[in-house]
């Protein structure tokens, strides 16, 4: 069986411990590869190599750094099919999705920040003709990047690309559940001749490698995407060390549907925003609120559509939903369906696991599930399930739906469907979330600030926000007159 390796100081290497962790294919339930079970020793070696690499990487021109990122992007693009198959094998997501979204977006992340850094500039201020103040934006040094399993290469590159572009060296840990494309990225970096130590990719558990990265005194900033509880643990360690922190955490996003919306467009998109990637996207709209006058119609039409969605082998191009990423997560989702039923929810479709066919007999599949009849403040409507489970709830007024939408501890994204743009703008300003989509979902522009409010995180990634995060600003004041 293939064993993956860490990428430290420009070479592929085994973990200091020589131990391995099993990596499962969620569609078959089988171990298909093994990854290094790394720990603080590996992080220490990586920090030393990154420290050395930083001396020259931080001095290279933006154009040179941009060139490396462009080369890496081009090599991933060349191997798109290979990367897509790996992502699907590791995460259980449909192959068509890996091919059309995950891998192309990883390429775009690299290209975007490769270009952005060549346009990045800082401010200067003429102070009453007495002095000129200008701002230097300098790389931080070594930064840590920790990413989750739901959009593996997509989110990994979202962090690494701006950090490297800004002149930092990076120590990155992909989720131990989906490490394969990060490993393939290390092979690509070697092929692209990225200087040794500039990027180090260390595999292993969060409570070993992850926490060693977070607590290392020489690592100046942490960019983390993952669950809110993990984010809290990271902040407890990193904040007293005065590290820069960007935390992109969980969500429980409302999808608010008014009777005056473009109904067909809304219905089509709501199926996507509920169940794409098995509902394992932090931006999915898992709480659907529908204006009472169209509630009955919506319920029937939505459930009819959801019942037609095929769940099964991710390699089958007709599967809209693939497998759930891990056995542990599969059990968590089933547990929450049970909680919802105990709380009085009525399952309109789905509600249980499905046995896969052929090679997928032992895979982890759950039917897309729609639940109604729950109070807005019950556990199923407040806690993040992060799977193919949505609830539908009627509302009568704008005030009522706003109250319900804002009732959770989260505030990542929200979706509003209405043709009344005055109302859409009014609600957008009052809703507590970092992103509001009006009459669309997942329409992304990489220049926009991305992140959440409340317990969905702190800091913003994307565009210039990311380049600002990965640089330290220094004010230089030059006296012009004596
Ligand atoms: P986790 O928080 O469990 O893990 C995220 C990463 O952190 C993994 O690499 C994990 O390692 C690592 N980790 C775990 N414990 C520690 C620790 N003590 N110190 C440092 N690192 C640690 O999240 P999931 O992987 O389960 O991802 C799902 C979550 O991510 C959901 O809550 C989802 O909403 C959120 N998410 C948020 C997004 C956003 O942009 N706001 C986007 C996508 C997902 P290990 O491999 O051992 O688990």
């Amino acid at each position: 069986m293939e064993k993956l390796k860490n990428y430290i100081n420009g070479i592929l290497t085994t973990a200091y411990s020589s131990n391995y962790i099993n990596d499962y294919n969620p569609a078959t339930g089988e171990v298909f590869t093994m990854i290094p079970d790394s720990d603080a020793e590996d992080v220490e070696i990586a920090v030393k190599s990154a420290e050395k690499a930083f001396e020259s990487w931080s001095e290279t021109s933006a154009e040179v750094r941009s060139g490396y990122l462009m080369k890496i992007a081009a090599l991933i693009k060349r191997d798109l099919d290979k990367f897509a198959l790996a992502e699907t094998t590791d995460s259980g997501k449909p192959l068509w999705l890996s091919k059309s979204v995950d891998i192309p977006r990883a390429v775009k992340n690299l290209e975007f920040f490769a270009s952005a850094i060549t346009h990045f500039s800082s401010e200067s201020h003429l102070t009453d003709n007495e002095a000129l103040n200008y701002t230097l934006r300098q790389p931080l040094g070594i930064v840590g990047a920790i990413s989750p399993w739901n959009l593996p290469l997509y989110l990994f590159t979202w962090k690494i690309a701006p950090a490297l572009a800004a002149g930092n060296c990076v120590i990155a840990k992909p989720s131990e559940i989906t490490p394969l494309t990060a490993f393939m990225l290390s092979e690509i970096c070697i092929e692209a001749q990225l200087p040794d130590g500039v990027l180090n990719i260390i595999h292993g558990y969060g409570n070993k490698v992850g926490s060693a990265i977070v607590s290392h005194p020489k690592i100046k900033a942490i960019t983390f995407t993952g669950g809110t509880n993990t984010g809290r643990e990271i902040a407890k360690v990193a904040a007293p060390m005065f590290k820069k922190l960007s935390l992109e955490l969980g969500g429980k996003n409302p999808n608010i549907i008014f009777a005056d919306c473009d109904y067909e467009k809304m219905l089509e998109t709501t199926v996507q925003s509920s169940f794409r990637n098995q509902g394992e996207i932090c931006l999915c709209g898992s709480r659907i609120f529908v204006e009472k006058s169209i509630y009955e119609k919506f319920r029937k039409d939505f459930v009819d559509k959801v019942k037609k969605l095929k769940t099964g082998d991710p390699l089958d191009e007709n599967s809209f939903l693939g497998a759930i990423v891990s056995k542990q997560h599969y059990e968590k989702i089933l547990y929450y369906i049970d909680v919802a039923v105990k709380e009085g929810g009525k399952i309109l479709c789905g509600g249980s696991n499905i046995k896969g066919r052929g090679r997928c007999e032992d895979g982890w599949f759950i039917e897309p599930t729609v639940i109604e009849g729950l109070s807005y403040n019950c556990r199923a409507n407040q806690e993040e399930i992060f799977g193919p489970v949505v609830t539908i709830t009627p509302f009568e007024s704008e005030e009522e739906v706003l109250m319900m939408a804002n009732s959770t501890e989260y505030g990542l994204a929200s979706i509003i469907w209405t043709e009344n743009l005055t109302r859409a703008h009014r609600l957008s300003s009052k809703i507590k979330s970092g992103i509001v989509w009006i009459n669309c979902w997942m329409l992304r522009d990489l220049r926009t600030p991305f992140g959440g409010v409340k317990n969905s995180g702190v800091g913003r990634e994307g565009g210039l926000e990311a380049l600002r995060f990965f640089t330290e600003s220094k004010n230089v004041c030059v006296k012009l007159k004596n």
Side-chain angles (χ1 to χ4, degrees):
M1 186 175 299
E2 192 195 2
K3 288 180 174 165
L4 306 189
K5 288 186 169 165
N6 290 333
Y7 170 56
I8 299 178
N9 200 23
I11 52 167
L12 298 176
T13 168
T14 52
Y16 186 83
S17 70
S18 304
N19 294 333
Y20 286 90
I21 302 168
N22 288 336
D23 184 16
Y24 292 85
N25 177 342
T28 63
E30 285 165 357
V31 176
F32 76 101
T33 182
M34 296 175 97
I35 67 162
D37 179 6
S38 317
D39 49 36
E41 270 82 3
D42 302 282
V43 173
E44 192 56 49
I45 300 168
V47 167
K48 286 207 169 77
S49 83
E51 218 177 355
K52 186 158 186 319
F54 183 70
E55 287 168 19
S56 45
W57 184 248
S58 58
E59 294 294 322
T60 54
S61 66
E63 206 179 340
V64 166
R65 297 196 297 271
S66 171
Y68 280 110
L69 292 180
M70 282 296 193
K71 195 162 175 192
I72 293 167
L75 292 173
I76 297 177
K77 211 189 260 178
R78 179 197 68 190
D79 293 348
L80 193 139
D81 287 346
K82 236 165 73 183
F83 269 91
L85 182 60
E87 203 71 295
T88 285
T89 309
D90 217 5
S91 68
K93 70 178 70 205
L95 184 57
W96 62 262
L97 191 62
S98 298
K99 267 191 191 168
S100 62
V101 176
D102 286 74
I103 308 305
R105 172 58 194 275
V107 170
K108 207 167 160 195
N109 289 337
L110 288 152
E111 290 174 344
F112 175 82
F113 285 108
S115 165
I117 197 63
T118 63
H119 301 276
F120 191 44
S121 60
S122 59
E123 310 80 31
S124 70
H125 306 87
L126 187 60
T127 312
D128 296 332
N129 288 329
E130 286 286 322
L132 177 66
N133 280 282
Y134 65 90
T135 306
L136 285 178
R137 288 208 164 266
Q138 296 173 312
L140 302 172
I142 309 173
V143 305
I146 300 174
S147 60
W149 46 255
N150 65 324
L151 301 166
L153 193 66
Y154 176 135
L155 289 175
F156 200 61
T157 49
W158 181 237
K159 298 181 171 305
I160 286 169
L164 294 176
N168 301 284
C169 291
V170 178
I171 304 203
K173 187 196 102 60
S175 167
E176 123 268 341
I177 297 167
T178 52
L180 188 51
T181 48
F183 169 71
M184 291 166 69
L185 174 67
S186 35
E187 294 180 313
I188 291 277
C189 289
I190 293 171
E191 187 177 346
Q193 296 180 325
L194 185 70
D196 298 350
V198 166
L199 172 63
N200 301 274
I201 300 175
I202 310 185
H203 298 275
Y205 291 115
N207 59 7
K208 289 164 92 177
V209 184
S211 59
I213 292 174
V214 172
S215 60
H216 200 292
K218 291 198 169 154
I219 296 182
K220 302 292 177 206
I222 302 292
T223 164
F224 168 80
T225 299
T228 294
N229 285 337
T230 315
R232 195 173 281 121
E233 289 310 307
I234 288 175
K236 269 189 209 161
V237 177
M241 299 174 84
F242 305 113
K243 295 189 183 207
K244 265 186 137 177
L245 268 180
S246 170
L247 303 174
E248 303 290 343
L249 310 176
K252 188 74 180 175
N253 310 309
N255 178 3
I256 302 172
I257 299 166
F258 285 94
D260 68 357
C261 68
D262 177 337
Y263 189 81
E264 288 309 317
K265 181 87 184 54
M266 173 280 296
L267 198 60
E268 202 66 45
T269 311
T270 294
V271 170
Q272 296 281 335
S273 64
S274 303
F275 299 115
R276 194 192 282 177
N277 202 44
Q278 303 73 246
E280 297 164 334
I281 303 182
C282 52
L283 303 167
C284 278
S286 55
R287 295 180 296 145
I288 305 176
F289 298 106
V290 188
E291 196 165 7
K292 203 165 185 181
S293 58
I294 58 162
Y295 184 79
E296 295 302 322
K297 178 175 166 50
F298 172 81
R299 176 174 58 177
K300 182 182 176 312
D301 294 344
F302 183 57
V303 169
D304 282 353
K305 271 197 180 294
V306 175
K307 280 183 175 162
K308 290 190 187 121
L309 298 177
K310 187 170 181 286
T311 305
D313 193 337
L315 298 182
D316 178 348
E317 62 184 24
N318 296 315
S319 296
F320 184 76
L321 291 91
I324 300 299
V325 73
S326 68
K327 184 148 192 287
Q328 192 189 9
H329 193 56
Y330 161 88
E331 282 164 0
K332 176 187 155 183
I333 296 167
L334 293 174
Y335 163 78
Y336 268 106
I337 293 174
D338 198 39
V339 166
V341 171
K342 287 193 176 119
E343 289 179 317
K346 182 176 166 202
I347 292 184
L348 300 176
C349 64
S352 54
N353 54 341
I354 314 178
K355 198 163 174 53
R357 295 217 183 120
R359 75 178 193 113
C360 296
E361 253 190 356
D362 296 321
W364 306 311
F365 297 92
I366 296 179
E367 291 174 296
T369 299
V370 181
I371 307 174
E372 74 165 355
L374 288 164
S375 70
Y376 76 90
N377 56 0
C378 69
R379 283 186 66 196
N381 265 331
Q382 293 288 318
E383 296 174 22
E384 188 183 38
I385 301 175
F386 212 53
V389 181
V390 295
T391 63
I392 57 173
T393 307
F395 69 88
E396 290 196 54
S397 68
E398 208 177 295
E399 293 70 32
E400 185 194 13
V401 77
L402 186 65
M403 180 278 292
M404 295 194 288
N406 282 341
S407 67
T408 72
E409 65 170 299
Y410 299 107
L412 187 55
S414 44
I415 310 161
I416 301 172
W417 290 96
T418 178
E419 289 296 295
N420 178 343
L421 276 185
T422 307
R423 170 159 60 197
H425 289 303
R426 189 168 55 232
L427 268 180
S428 304
S429 73
K430 290 184 180 164
I431 212 152
K432 295 195 172 80
S433 65
I435 308 164
V436 184
W437 274 297
I438 299 170
N439 299 330
C440 60
W441 177 69
M442 280 295 266
L443 196 55
R444 292 276 295 119
D445 180 328
L446 302 191
R447 293 170 299 179
T448 59
F450 179 88
V453 300
K454 299 199 278 182
N455 291 358
S456 288
V458 285
R460 291 291 178 273
E461 299 191 342
L464 297 182
E465 301 275 345
L467 295 178
R468 289 196 190 105
F469 175 77
F470 288 114
T471 50
E472 196 75 83
S473 55
K474 182 190 285 175
N475 171 221
V476 181
C477 177
V478 188
K479 181 100 165 66
L480 296 179
K481 291 179 188 165
N482 283 324

